[in-house]
Amino acid sequence: DGGITQSPKYLFRKEGQNVTLSCEQNLNHDAMYWYRQDPGQGLRLIYYSQIVNDFQKGDIAEGYSVSREKKESFPLTVTSAQKNPTAFYLCASRQKGNTGELFFGEGSRLTVL
Amino acid sequence: AQSVTQPDIHITVSEGASLELRCNYSYGATPYLFWYVQSPGQGLQLLLKYFSGDTLVQGIKGFEAEFKRSQSSFNLRKPSVHWSDAAEYFCAVGGGYQKVTFGTGTKLQVIP
């Protein structure tokens, strides 16, 4: 079945460590997105990519980095520069230029100890 | 800049009662509008979407929404709520080449 796979589902990190969240899709979608979700704040856009080897900062990109070397993959690195990394992270994809909706993964919950 | 406002943080309804969740948006052109639902610890599932045409759109699970350009609103409705509808609901705006912006969500509690 086509879909978006995020891993790991739960992740614990010590302060000062970088961590990478995986996002893989087999929907053949061009565009991929990373959102951060905190209670009461909805979803905030971190980074998005409309095509391979290109990506743009969203509203809260500081302390995060991404890469888009393959169409199927859009990993997110939470760096030690991110002041409050504990959150629920959601990856999504959709066809570029399409009025279609975003398709979401099941999310990754990161906890900084 | 585009934005979405969901004024109700939490709503409680009785099972079998009707439901309306409010959503107001700000967007510079013809908006693409969405409603998503999220169960705890899960991703988001699309309920319905509006791009053009009929301003009353039907979605899954018996939900519908009405686009009102004059009020910049896209409210979600359901005639009779089921206990399984308890979840968090998000309104979103954006589409095409634009980023998608989400509201802060409305948590729905359903009581017997």
Side-chain angles (χ1 to χ4, degrees):
Chain A
D1 289 336
I4 299 177
T5 301
Q6 290 188 240
S7 62
K9 190 168 179 65
Y10 298 96
L11 186 60
F12 297 88
R13 181 195 102 173
K14 293 182 180 179
E15 283 192 20
Q17 290 180 335
N18 292 354
V19 61
T20 297
L21 307 180
S22 170
C23 178
E24 302 278 334
Q25 55 100 358
N26 60 5
L27 300 167
N28 200 33
H29 286 171
D30 294 301
M32 297 187 72
Y33 303 76
W34 274 105
Y35 286 89
R36 169 179 171 144
Q37 186 176 18
D38 298 281
Q41 298 195 49
L43 279 70
R44 293 181 290 166
L45 183 63
I46 304 172
Y47 270 98
Y48 62 107
S49 167
Q50 304 247 35
I51 195 170
V52 173
N53 292 322
D54 187 47
F55 47 83
Q56 290 77 42
K57 292 182 179 180
D59 301 316
I60 57 165
E62 184 176 353
Y64 299 98
S65 66
V66 294
S67 63
R68 187 84 187 278
E69 298 177 359
K70 298 186 300 181
K71 186 175 183 178
E72 303 79 19
S73 179
F74 191 41
L76 173 74
T77 297
V78 184
T79 75
S80 57
Q82 169 52 232
K83 299 303 181 188
N84 297 294
T86 294
F88 190 54
Y89 291 89
L90 287 160
C91 179
S93 72
R94 70 174 176 181
Q95 276 298 89
K96 174 187 171 185
N98 195 307
T99 53
E101 69 273 21
L102 291 170
F103 290 79
F104 283 86
E106 292 294 296
S108 293
R109 183 166 299 280
L110 172 62
T111 302
V112 174
L113 303 174
Chain B
Q2 60 193 63
S3 66
V4 175
T5 300
Q6 293 182 248
D8 303 307
I9 297 172
H10 189 271
I11 283 183
T12 300
V13 300
S14 298
E15 191 168 14
S18 64
L19 171 70
E20 182 169 30
L21 303 182
R22 296 183 290 164
C23 172
N24 292 95
Y25 68 88
S26 174
Y27 196 75
T30 300
Y32 301 124
L33 294 158
F34 310 86
W35 273 101
Y36 287 85
V37 62
Q38 183 184 35
S39 297
Q42 301 295 313
L44 277 69
Q45 180 185 20
L46 181 75
L47 285 175
L48 48 79
K49 58 188 178 185
Y50 170 81
F51 301 131
S52 64
D54 193 349
T55 56
L56 184 63
V57 294
Q58 302 297 320
I60 62 171
K61 304 184 181 186
F63 285 92
E64 67 177 26
E66 186 172 12
F67 170 59
K68 293 186 177 180
R69 184 185 299 276
S70 62
Q71 298 178 20
S72 297
S73 69
F74 188 57
N75 294 348
L76 182 71
R77 301 193 294 248
K78 186 170 185 178
S80 178
V81 170
H82 187 263
W83 64 266
S84 60
D85 293 324
E88 190 160 18
Y89 293 79
F90 292 92
C91 181
V93 67
Y97 290 94
Q98 304 300 316
K99 65 181 183 180
V100 178
T101 299
F102 287 80
T104 52
T106 298
K107 284 188 178 178
L108 173 65
Q109 180 182 9
V110 181
I111 57 177

